[in-house]
């Protein structure tokens, strides 16, 4: 049997050096830390969305418009106090509160759209609540103001 010519032999491949393994490990740790940080920072958003879904489901069962509006208003205020400085949110009410919501992601839907009933509906008997539009508006506002 004749030996194989040297040109057909493959080179010896050394394992990755310890430096490359350390770099790969560091990149994995950075990615994991970023993912955990994002997960933790978005806990208030997930909690608020679950509460909103529960309110909408309860409203679908019992049809209590006043309770839905009170719950949505309280949810928005609590979430806004977490996301914005307390001084800019705590004293707002009525149209000022709706202007704040519009300025921070509501467009004009809180002053002149589905969100307007947050100001007038608890005090008036007339009017029909478009609960789907209100819930969609609040959901969008929460997501726009997520960390």
């Amino acid at each position: 049997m004749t030996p194989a010519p040297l040109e057909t032999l493959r080179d010896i491949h050394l394992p990755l050096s310890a430096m490359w393994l350390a770099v790969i490990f560091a990149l994995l740790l950075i990615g994991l830390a970023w993912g955990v940080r994002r997960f933790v920072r978005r806990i208030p958003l997930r909690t608020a969305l679950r509460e909103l879904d529960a309110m909408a489901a309860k409203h679908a069962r019992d049809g209590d418009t006043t309770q839905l509006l009170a719950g949505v208003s309280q949810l928005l205020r609590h979430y806004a106090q977490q996301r914005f400085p307390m001084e800019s949110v705590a004293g707002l009410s009525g149209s000022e509160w709706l202007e704040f919501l519009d300025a921070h992601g509501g467009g004009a839907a809180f002053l002149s759209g589905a969100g307007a009933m947050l100001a007038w509906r608890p005090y008036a008997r007339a009017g029909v609540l478009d609960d789907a539009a209100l819930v969609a508006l609040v959901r969008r506002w929460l997501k726009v103001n997520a960390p």
Side-chain angles (χ1 to χ4, degrees), residues 1 7-8 13 18 48 74 77 88 101 120 138-139:
M1 195 169 223
E7 295 84 29
T8 60
H13 295 285
Q74 185 178 14
R77 189 167 296 279
S88 65
L101 294 172
W120 63 262
V138 172
R139 180 180 307 284

Side-chain angles (χ1 to χ4, degrees), residues 31-48 50 79 82-83 146-147:
L32 179 65
W34 178 81
V36 167
R37 182 172 183 244
R38 178 176 162 87
F39 179 81
V40 169
R41 287 182 64 200
R42 293 179 72 86
I43 287 174
L45 173 64
R46 289 191 304 275
T47 303
R50 274 195 305 272
Y79 192 79
Q82 289 179 342
R83 294 290 303 135

